[in-house]
Amino acid sequence: MSQEKVFRIAVLPGDGIGPEVIAEAVRTLKTVERELDGIAFKLQEYSVGAGTYLKCGNPLPPETLEACRQQDAILLGAMGLPSVRWPNGLEMAPQVDLREQLDLYCGLRPFHLYQAQLSPLKGMERGRIDFLIVRESTEGLFSGRLRPMELDAAEARDHMVISRSGSERLFRSAFRQAMGRRRRLTLVDKANILPSMAYFRGIFREISREFPEVETEALYVDAASLHLIERPADFDVLVTENMFGDILSDLAAGLVGGMGMAPSADIGDDYAVFQPAHGSAPDIAGKGLANPLATLLSTAMMLDWLGHPETRRAAAVVRTAVTEVLAAPRNRTADLGGRLTTAEMGGLVAEAAARMLSSGDGNRPAD
Ligand code: ATP
């Protein structure tokens, strides 16, 4: 018998709805684990976020960060609360600190329309919207975020940092993603106005020569916003800087059912964090109203990334389970116009995934 492979996962529930959606990810992981062959997940929970700051004065204690470095992957809920701020008035964002500290430069945000009715766009079919935003996550317009803010100063400035090395590694990752998909890559920038963005575009052109199989286009961010609404089905992979990626991700989530349907992964060369693209949503926290599907789909991204045939099989099954559960119109949380609680939706997906794995439906190889 082959020896059991143990994957160590740091679980960071965080603030607001974070613990509620993470509970469903943990349930799904434990449920599928029972059906997988020779695989175990060792989940270790750590405290991070605004709540942790209130307890110990640091939203991301150094010992937690160090412990995260020792794990195979990090699964995160949501962090930050509007009522808990730094003395300069800014919200704390330990999830952004984590990206910077672990050098997670490649933010992957897939948008897939699981059910036509979830899109506000008319005439959409299931699966027609299926694109990936690759967001640079360590520099760009977020670079100045930790600088002090003086309300009585005459002006405030932020700065955009676009480095050659940061852009080259980002673009290579985006091209590789496109190679594994429909081989189309759209650069989103503002090269007509900002020198930093013209530089970004120049480097994109250079790297594109390494990937002649991939068809490319470049769009200004304002035009990209329009085209994402008018012709979302034309996009395969989009790559952009940090802030533009942040904004376009929310727009894209709106096309496929909202923030509760938007998973994400932040990948570096050594570490990776998987979390829903949404924040801590304090308005609905503690009420069982949060949609856990973004977190479950992020968990599927983690299972894929772990790269073992059994974890990849589990990833495919979780996605199929989400598709199957959503096929019944009654299976909707409040954000999707239904009545299911977070735990009810999570339970349905875990149950469907376990059933598929035990019946052999989940045995086809995940491509
Ligand atoms: P951040 O800046 O941290 O990304 P945000 O201010 O953009 O956060 P979110 O927390 O992402 O806000 O959510 C915006 C709104 O979308 C929430 O107030 C909530 O009503 C809704 N929302 C977000 N996530 C979910 C979810 N998983 N299920 C249901 N509704 C959600």
Side-chain angles (χ1 to χ4, degrees):
M1 217 179 84
S2 63
Q3 234 194 338
E4 190 177 63
K5 168 82 183 150
V6 178
F7 289 102
R8 289 167 310 151
I9 318 269
V11 178
L12 281 56
D15 303 306
I17 61 172
E20 296 168 61
V21 292
I22 280 293
E24 298 314 312
V26 169
R27 185 213 301 246
T28 293
L29 280 174
K30 289 190 171 159
T31 307
V32 299
E33 182 187 41
R34 289 197 280 274
E35 307 293 338
L36 297 174
D37 200 18
I39 289 287
F41 300 117
K42 188 161 179 276
L43 308 177
Q44 179 68 51
E45 194 171 308
Y46 297 98
S47 168
V48 286
T52 310
Y53 168 80
L54 292 177
K55 276 188 235 141
C56 74
N58 188 342
L60 181 62
E63 57 278 12
T64 303
L65 183 62
E66 199 36 51
C68 286
R69 288 185 201 272
Q70 309 304 320
Q71 313 291 318
D72 293 310
I74 301 163
L75 186 60
L76 191 156
M79 294 188 198
L81 289 174
S83 55
V84 183
R85 290 173 184 267
W86 293 114
N88 69 1
L90 293 183
E91 249 185 70
M92 34 204 75
Q95 71 281 18
V96 183
D97 299 330
L98 203 58
R99 281 174 212 153
E100 292 173 1
Q101 301 270 351
L102 300 180
D103 203 19
L104 309 177
Y105 57 90
C106 185
L108 299 179
R109 284 149 179 240
F111 298 92
H112 180 84
L113 183 60
Y114 280 87
Q115 275 299 316
Q117 313 91 293
L118 300 185
S119 181
L121 299 182
K122 284 181 285 200
M124 270 296 148
E125 290 150 37
R126 178 162 78 85
R128 249 193 114 212
I129 300 178
D130 184 53
F131 60 80
L132 172 73
I133 294 182
V134 179
R135 167 188 173 186
E136 203 295 321
S137 301
T138 54
E139 50 183 37
L141 200 48
F142 274 48
S143 300
R145 72 186 182 91
L146 295 177
R147 288 176 1 155
M149 191 278 288
E150 310 281 347
L151 198 51
D152 45 10
E155 61 174 35
R157 291 180 183 217
D158 292 313
H159 60 269
M160 170 90 90
V161 175
I162 300 292
S163 71
R164 170 165 280 279
S165 58
S167 304
E168 286 180 351
R169 66 184 184 174
L170 172 78
F171 293 144
R172 288 198 178 100
S173 299
F175 273 103
R176 283 189 209 110
Q177 290 292 328
M179 290 291 288
R181 296 175 48 104
R182 302 192 302 280
R183 300 191 172 192
R184 286 209 303 273
L185 179 60
T186 304
L187 170 72
V188 179
D189 63 28
K190 194 68 184 168
N192 53 338
I193 299 289
L194 300 173
S196 60
M197 292 278 89
Y199 179 69
F200 198 51
R201 188 176 284 208
I203 297 170
F204 179 80
R205 294 275 179 247
E206 286 174 23
I207 301 298
S208 70
R209 287 182 214 122
E210 297 171 21
F211 300 88
E213 308 88 339
V214 177
E215 186 192 326
T216 61
E217 68 173 338
L219 289 177
Y220 302 134
V221 63
D222 41 345
S225 311
L226 177 74
H227 291 300
L228 277 170
I229 306 279
E230 285 187 346
R231 53 175 189 98
D234 290 352
F235 291 98
D236 180 17
V237 181
L238 301 97
V239 60
T240 191
E241 74 83 35
N242 208 341
M243 179 65 92
F244 293 169
D246 187 29
I247 297 167
L248 289 181
S249 295
D250 276 28
L251 180 151
L255 298 177
V256 296
M259 297 311 292
M261 295 302 300
S264 87
D266 292 299
I267 313 274
D269 292 333
D270 302 313
Y271 307 101
V273 172
F274 300 84
Q275 67 172 121
H278 60 73
S280 60
D283 54 331
I284 57 166
K287 299 177 181 161
L289 290 175
N291 180 351
L293 295 182
T295 310
L296 297 179
L297 293 166
S298 306
T299 307
M301 293 177 82
M302 179 183 82
L303 290 166
D304 258 337
W305 184 82
L306 288 171
H308 188 284
E310 282 296 276
T311 60
R312 297 185 73 213
R313 185 163 74 99
V317 159
V318 170
R319 288 193 190 98
T320 310
V322 169
T323 309
E324 186 189 286
V325 166
L326 286 174
R330 66 178 179 284
N331 291 339
R332 303 280 188 271
T333 41
D335 56 316
L336 306 179
R339 291 165 177 269
L340 291 190
T341 64
T342 310
E344 285 166 345
M345 180 62 106
L348 286 176
V349 174
E351 225 171 79
R355 184 172 22 79
M356 284 174 206
L357 287 168
S358 67
S359 69
D361 281 5
N363 284 342
R364 49 181 194 279
D367 61 348

